[in-house]
Amino acid sequence: MRINKYISETGFCSRRETDRLIAAGRITINGKICEKGADVEPGDIVLIDGKAIPQGDRESVYLALNKPIGIVCTAAQQVKGNIIQYVNYPSRIFAVGRLDKASEGLILLTNDGGIVNKMMRSEHNHEKEYVVTVDKPVTDEFIRLMSQGVEILDVVTKPCEVYRDSENVFRIILTQGLNLQIRRMCKALGYRVLKLERIRIMNITLDQLERGQWRHLEKRELDLLLSRLE
C-alpha cells in the first residue's frame, strides 16, 4: 500500500499532508527516512516524528490465533494459504512476527503498528515458549548445548531456558527470533524437528484455543501485555 494511502486510512492526515511530512523528512519506515511514493508492507514500522501514528477513531484490534500447519504468515494475496485470508477479519490487520509454514501454535495479529517494534526487538527480552518434538531422544548434553547457545547463521544464539518434557520432546523459551532458529539449532546438534508448536508469547497463551481458531485478547491480557511493552 502506498504510504499516502496508508497514513490517510489511519485518519491522521490527508494524502497531500502526508507528502508534506515526507518532504520534511518526518516519516520513517522501519527506521529509514521515507521517500515519496514508498510502499508499506504488512508488519512495517511507520513512525511520524519518531512516534507511532495515533489510531484516531479506528478501533485497535488484537487477536490470538492458533495457527495450523500450512498457513503462511504473509499478507501477500497471491500466496496460497496466507494468514490474512485465513483469518478473514473484516478490517485490515497484520501478523506480529512469523511462525514458519511447517510450524503451528500461537501468533498475534493486530492493526496497531505501535506495538510491533517493541515486541519484535530481541534486546527487549520478550519471551516466546515452544514445545518441540525431535527425531531421537533428548539427552542431557543436548539440553546443555541448546541452553548455552548454538552457532547458527554466523552468530551464537542467546542463552535460553530448555527443559525435557519426555523422551523426544522438549520445551524452549526464547528471547530472540532468528530465522528458523529452533530448527537450525536442532540441526546443528544433529537433531531433526518433527513438530514445533508455539504455546506462549509473553503473557499470552493458547489457553485451550483449538487449532485453527482465533479470539480477541481479553482486557486483562491486553492490559498486562501493553504494560510489559512500556
Side-chain angles (χ1 to χ4, degrees):
M1 183 183 295
R2 292 288 186 184
I3 183 66
N4 308 63
K5 182 178 180 182
Y6 175 85
I7 291 181
S8 69
E9 286 192 357
T10 69
F12 179 78
C13 65
S14 67
R15 298 188 187 193
R16 183 170 296 181
E17 180 60 25
T18 298
D19 285 336
R20 297 192 185 100
L21 295 174
I22 292 171
R26 295 172 59 188
I27 299 177
T28 61
I29 301 177
N30 298 326
K32 296 181 180 179
I33 299 295
C34 175
E35 297 181 357
K36 186 175 181 180
D39 287 325
V40 180
E41 301 290 340
D44 283 348
I45 310 301
V46 179
L47 304 178
I48 299 178
D49 295 331
K51 299 179 180 179
I53 302 171
Q55 295 294 308
D57 294 332
R58 184 181 65 175
E59 181 180 1
S60 295
V61 176
Y62 304 91
L63 307 180
L65 167 69
N66 190 339
K67 184 187 93 67
I69 293 172
I71 299 302
V72 184
C73 292
T74 179
Q77 297 296 305
Q78 71 273 19
V79 176
K80 184 178 179 180
N82 76 76
I83 195 169
I84 302 305
Q85 287 182 338
Y86 179 81
V87 173
N88 196 29
Y89 196 76
S91 62
R92 178 180 175 273
I93 57 173
F94 49 85
V96 181
R98 299 181 66 85
L99 197 56
D100 69 79
K101 184 177 181 179
S103 299
E104 56 193 315
L106 181 63
I107 188 162
L108 303 181
L109 299 104
T110 184
N111 61 358
D112 181 1
I115 73 166
V116 178
N117 191 45
K118 295 177 181 179
M119 293 191 70
M120 298 304 298
R121 291 176 63 177
S122 62
E123 61 265 35
H124 291 162
N125 294 317
H126 299 316
E127 292 185 347
K128 298 181 179 70
E129 184 173 357
Y130 304 79
V131 176
V132 187
T133 303
V134 287
D135 62 340
K136 54 187 178 182
V138 175
T139 64
D140 291 341
E141 180 69 357
F142 174 82
I143 296 290
R144 183 182 70 81
L145 292 173
M146 288 285 283
S147 298
Q148 69 183 20
V150 178
E151 185 174 354
I152 61 170
L153 302 173
D154 298 321
V155 298
V156 176
T157 59
K158 282 185 174 183
C160 59
E161 298 178 53
V162 185
Y163 309 94
R164 184 188 294 105
D165 255 12
S166 61
E167 184 177 25
N168 287 56
V169 180
F170 68 93
R171 293 184 181 233
I172 183 168
I173 300 173
L174 299 181
T175 57
Q176 66 183 143
L178 301 177
N179 184 36
L180 300 173
Q181 180 170 343
I182 296 172
R183 296 181 187 275
R184 293 181 189 273
M185 291 172 73
C186 289
K187 183 178 180 180
L189 298 180
Y191 285 71
R192 183 167 63 92
V193 172
L194 302 180
K195 179 181 179 181
L196 193 156
E197 179 183 23
R198 184 157 63 196
I199 61 172
R200 178 171 66 87
I201 300 174
M202 297 175 64
N203 64 297
I204 310 300
T205 66
L206 287 177
D207 195 25
Q208 299 182 337
L209 190 63
E210 296 292 331
R211 188 79 69 231
Q213 292 185 342
W214 59 264
R215 63 176 177 83
H216 291 272
L217 296 189
E218 297 178 3
K219 185 179 185 305
R220 57 179 178 79
E221 292 177 305
L222 180 59
D223 289 346
L224 181 55
L225 176 69
L226 296 179
S227 70
R228 290 182 175 180
L229 290 173
E230 291 301 322

